[in-house]
Amino acid sequence: MTVSGSRRRPLVLRLSLTAAIAVTVAGSSVAFASPAVSAPMPVRTAAAPAFTAGLCEGTEYTPSEQMLDISGIRLDHFNDGNIVPMYGTTDRGTSAAVDAPVCGVRDVDGIAKSEWMYCTDFDLDPCAGVDENGLPVDKHNDEMGATVPSSGNPDLSADDRAVISWLLQNPAKLDGVVSGNGSEDARSARQTLVWCVSDYDNPLMADFKSLCDRNIGDDERARIVEIMNVTQTLDLVRKTPATGTLKAGETAVFTLNTNMYRKPINVQSSAGTELTVCGDNAKATLSANQLTVDGRGDAPTAVDLCLTTADSGDYSVTASVIPDSVENLHWNTAGAQCQIFASFDTVRPALMNASASVGYAAAPTTTPATTTPATTTPATTTPATPVVPIVPIVPIVPIVPIVPIVPVVPVVPGAPVPSQPVATPAAPAPSAPKQATGPRPVAIDGGAAEQNSGRNVAVAVTGLGLVGMAAAGAVALRRKRS
């Protein structure tokens, strides 16, 4: 891109910017960093008093007090809503000739916001210096007016503005150096990529066209334009389980759908739980809380995110991102001979958010089983014991045989024994009991016994019981256990 001769800067300053590109190529790779927020000022209803501005993100040297002092005419410019340039990305430039990009401060809803401003005219004066009194000056130390808002750079096409807008909102690579705002090398890479778009046809960029072609050639620019023109989507839903709760220790799967490609999306879960990319997601990478999905076009890509926790409770997963838009840039310039800057507006854009949640039930409480340590003693085989059926024990009542007792008829000594049958005499009349004669009978169990005679005779023996049975003509003897 070429511009009119009235806006050209002297060759010595053009060579100064060319040297900045050389520094970029030799720089080391750094990680992408999110925009820093300068020290906020109280919301005010009147003009702000003089103050010392905060540093822009990733400043690697200490700017002078004059650069950061917002007072006098510079304070008037600030209170009028203009951005006030303060210092360059390195300390190699003089007070009047600073290295791009340039750190500037402006009021955003009562907050003093410090932001990096990137040049979109390779060979024009930044007009961002200050003299010994802190007044804004150009390269000749001539006092400058305010750096006022602009609608954009008229020398840029709609596609150019879209690509530059994307470059200021996303990390990109310049021969392995990751662009961003977090360090001098990262800013130098980002500034060079912007010049590859705004000044690709500038004769002063001829030596660096091959660098631009390698890193942001026609295909990459077409991809970025495609991204900037799609309807950007961000959606997050539960996948497993779709409903219900999980047991502690199980894994919940969430699906993120988005077509914001190569753009860091902030994803995180509640209560300190960790998310991981799971399933077939070769096009997605997760570093800390930054998820980046590769692709192009309007169709969204699904990425599965897994969450596992050992604790019960409700857990949420959120995704948030600032959608890419050319409206997210703040443009400004100090005049026709000065650079037109583009800075990423870190306040105006609204976040796109998506969220989903899952519940975990508490694990049941169980008593751990006692485990007996195994021994090395070889096992012995014990023959099986035959099963003996259990027979109920019935109490045994001793059976006492009934022994017929023949009455003992005493023999009177001296009486003759008849040799022939003798008739049975008639029964004598009853008379008084007669004392027994002859020897004492001996008890069956060997003890002494007492004998009584009569019609119904009962013989009591120590240890025996005699039951007389007169009608049967016999006496039953039953052992009596004491």
Side-chain angles (χ1 to χ4, degrees), residues 18 20 26 28 43 53 135 151 176 232 247 293 305 353 389 399 406 439 464:
T18 302
S28 59
V43 176
L135 298 176
S151 60
Q232 298 169 84
K247 295 179 182 178
V293 184
L305 301 172
N353 294 283
I399 301 175
V406 179
L464 299 175

Side-chain angles (χ1 to χ4, degrees), residues 51 53 70 78 82-84 86 103-107 112-114:
F51 67 96
I70 308 301
F78 177 86
N82 301 315
I83 195 164
V84 177
M86 296 188 294
C103 177
V105 62
R106 65 188 177 100
D107 175 81
K113 184 71 177 178
S114 297

Side-chain angles (χ1 to χ4, degrees), residues 5 14 87 95 102 335 358 381 410 436 468:
R14 283 182 264 162
Y87 59 89
S95 60
V102 173
V358 66
T381 303

Side-chain angles (χ1 to χ4, degrees), residues 134-159:
L135 298 176
V137 294
D138 64 10
K139 60 183 179 293
H140 303 295
N141 280 321
D142 295 332
E143 188 174 337
M144 295 293 302
T147 302
V148 299
S150 171
S151 60
N153 190 328
D155 293 324
L156 300 177
S157 68
D159 286 353

Side-chain angles (χ1 to χ4, degrees), residues 216-237:
I216 191 164
D218 291 341
D219 185 66
E220 178 64 5
R221 291 178 61 176
R223 185 190 73 85
I224 294 173
V225 170
E226 195 175 65
I227 290 174
M228 297 296 291
N229 289 334
V230 303
T231 301
Q232 298 169 84
T233 61
L234 183 71
D235 182 54
L236 184 65
V237 296

